[in-house]
Amino acid sequence: MKFFTAALFVASANAFAPAQFGVKRTALQMSETATEEKAFAKLPASVKPGVVTGQALVDLLDAAKDQGYAIPGVNIVGSNSINACMEAAAKYGGPIMVTFSKGGGQYIAGKAADNADDAASIAGAIAGAKHVREVAKLYGVPVVLHTDHCQKAWLPWIDGLLAASEEYYAQHGEPLFSSHMLDLSEEPLEENIAICKEYLEKFAKVGILLEFELGVTGGEEDGVDNTDVDSSRLYTQPEEVWYSYQQLSEVENGAFTCAASFGNVHGVYAPGNVDLQPVILHNTQAYIQEKLGTDEKKPMKFVFHGGSGSSVDDIKYAIEAGVIKMNIDTDTQWAFWDGIREYEAKYHDFLQGQIGNPEGDDKPNKKYYDPRMALRAGEESMAARLCQAAEDLNCVNVLN
């Protein structure tokens, strides 16, 4: 199983003027926007096909929580995996979160590109985000542009992406990226949240949502290796989440999610090797609800960091606790490779040379070794796996 984290959606009481970013809207406010033309029958009018940011993102996550589904959040490494995500979303009839890692950004720019001062990691993630913005509307689904784990030493990467969003905001009135994750869980709690608070103040000015992590994600993924971490750090306490909520709520117009660990690890492991405790999600909901003095039973929106290899029962139980997003990487990586593997096996005898195959010694094989053929097989396999994930997440036919 991959490591699960719970991401708790929180927002300050102040509205992001003029769009009220970060604030769940009242019934009156929702009725006022109801006069807008709705693109999707089951979603608020603010949510349109294409990249979703600001208040539209808040509205989308509210709809997911209220209607009882979670959105797949998928790590990508290029246009093939990006397109597979959006193809899947169009097929299952729901939103998708396209997620860039620091290493994924570098790969998009090209492994031979100069990555001094994270230049390639920054440029690649920006290029990928612009690709999504150009084509997302063609798939007719809401798309969230997100970035994955960023530890303290990698903050210059986020600085570069934030600068790009600020420039994009000045031109278009919205950020390039929808949200960013800061994973400072290796730092003391107070330092973790202090740095997150500093960044949230910057994010709030352009309508970017912050995701932060409490506890440590076990296992290894894309340069973050916590294989030998003390097991006690794999479980976040409700008091830690409450402290973080109080501190970050002081940021005017801020909106944030909290990745609270509850025992899983990145990757896929044999049964018995992982002690998953999703009850932590339910306990934290009850604790925060009591502290807030609210009647709402699920005041927080949670996110799983690492859903690959997880049982459907665990996923459903987590959604009952208010999960609105589940990250997937390992399973989709395998699915992409499996599609290519099956393609090679099917056409093996046509892939041994440019000329000559079972149909004749002089027959050309170009249409078989054209890279687009094998890559397309990978896309189709990955999209099919994501459709399966959407079923597990109750995210099928949630648009109309």
Side-chain angles (χ1 to χ4, degrees):
M1 291 187 187
K2 285 190 70 180
F3 175 76
F4 272 125
T5 60
L8 118 84
F9 178 92
V10 196
S12 81
N14 299 302
F16 179 79
Q20 295 191 338
F21 171 56
V23 179
K24 184 171 183 177
R25 294 192 278 186
T26 65
L28 175 60
Q29 290 169 325
M30 294 297 281
S31 67
E32 289 173 347
T33 58
T35 57
E36 300 178 36
E37 183 178 353
K38 296 185 67 172
F40 306 109
K42 297 180 181 178
L43 292 178
S46 62
V47 182
K48 309 290 186 184
V51 176
V52 179
T53 65
Q55 186 60 44
L57 174 57
V58 174
D59 291 345
L60 174 61
L61 299 183
D62 283 336
K65 188 196 73 171
D66 294 342
Q67 297 173 29
Y69 63 87
I71 303 168
V74 189
N75 284 67
I76 58 81
V77 294
S79 62
N80 294 110
S81 49
I82 289 173
N83 295 346
C85 287
M86 294 186 289
E87 177 180 350
K91 288 181 176 179
Y92 65 69
I96 189 76
M97 292 192 180
V98 174
T99 305
F100 298 85
S101 67
K102 182 171 177 286
Q106 181 186 9
Y107 189 84
I108 291 172
K111 294 292 287 186
D114 181 7
N115 199 33
D117 298 323
D118 299 322
S121 294
I122 292 169
I126 292 172
K130 289 182 176 180
H131 168 81
V132 174
R133 282 198 168 272
E134 286 296 320
V135 303
K137 290 183 180 179
L138 303 178
Y139 290 86
V141 297
V143 180
V144 179
L145 279 174
H146 183 62
T147 59
D148 208 2
H149 296 268
C150 177
Q151 55 197 22
K152 187 176 180 180
W154 294 356
L155 287 173
W157 175 55
I158 292 295
D159 292 337
L161 302 184
L162 176 57
S165 274
E166 290 171 338
E167 180 180 353
Y168 195 90
Y169 184 89
Q171 297 173 352
H172 304 282
E174 66 173 336
L176 177 61
F177 291 90
S178 308
S179 52
H180 295 300
M181 181 197 183
L182 301 186
D183 180 3
L184 306 175
S185 56
E186 294 182 356
E187 314 306 324
L189 176 63
E190 292 76 10
E191 181 180 1
N192 177 351
I193 301 308
I195 295 174
C196 285
K197 190 174 182 179
E198 176 186 343
Y199 274 85
L200 182 57
E201 289 173 348
K202 300 175 184 178
F203 291 175
K205 293 178 181 179
V206 293
I208 295 175
L209 183 145
L210 165 71
E211 179 183 321
F212 68 99
E213 181 161 339
L214 298 176
V216 175
T217 303
E220 189 277 333
E221 182 178 60
D222 209 353
V224 180
D225 190 352
N226 292 320
T227 305
D228 299 321
V229 69
D230 189 306
S231 61
S232 65
R233 299 182 66 193
L234 300 179
Y235 303 95
T236 301
Q237 299 303 309
E239 293 84 358
E240 297 173 305
V241 178
W242 173 239
Y243 169 81
S244 305
Y245 168 74
Q246 289 177 299
Q247 292 296 310
L248 295 179
S249 291
E250 296 176 359
V251 177
E252 185 176 4
N253 310 323
F256 52 91
T257 62
C258 169
S261 57
F262 61 102
N264 280 48
V265 295
H266 283 133
V268 177
Y269 297 85
N273 288 331
V274 176
D275 182 19
L276 180 65
Q277 296 291 332
V279 69
I280 289 175
L281 306 183
H282 292 267
N283 292 341
T284 301
Q285 287 279 32
Y287 187 88
I288 301 298
Q289 179 187 12
E290 180 181 359
K291 289 295 185 180
L292 293 175
T294 178
D295 293 330
E296 188 176 357
K297 293 183 179 180
K298 295 185 291 185
M300 303 304 171
K301 298 181 182 69
F302 292 101
V303 153
F304 281 96
H305 258 241
S308 293
S310 303
S311 72
V312 175
D313 287 343
D314 285 336
I315 292 171
K316 301 291 187 185
Y317 186 51
I319 291 175
E320 291 175 5
V323 163
I324 47 80
K325 169 193 148 187
M326 185 177 80
N327 281 21
I328 308 170
D329 184 20
T330 304
D331 283 352
T332 49
Q333 286 181 340
W334 171 258
F336 197 97
W337 158 248
D338 201 34
I340 294 176
R341 182 190 61 78
E342 290 184 350
Y343 177 84
E344 193 283 331
K346 182 177 180 179
Y347 297 107
H348 177 82
D349 292 341
F350 296 82
L351 298 169
Q352 303 310 304
Q354 288 185 289
I355 302 294
N357 60 50
E359 297 177 354
D361 292 341
D362 61 346
K363 296 293 184 180
N365 295 316
K366 186 178 187 303
K367 67 179 181 180
Y368 298 102
Y369 63 75
D370 183 333
R372 291 172 294 182
M373 301 300 291
L375 290 173
R376 177 57 185 155
E379 290 176 355
E380 291 176 328
S381 180
M382 179 175 171
R385 180 61 184 86
L386 283 173
C387 287
Q388 177 187 335
E391 291 185 10
D392 297 340
L393 297 171
N394 303 328
C395 196
V396 176
N397 297 325
V398 298
L399 303 180
N400 297 299

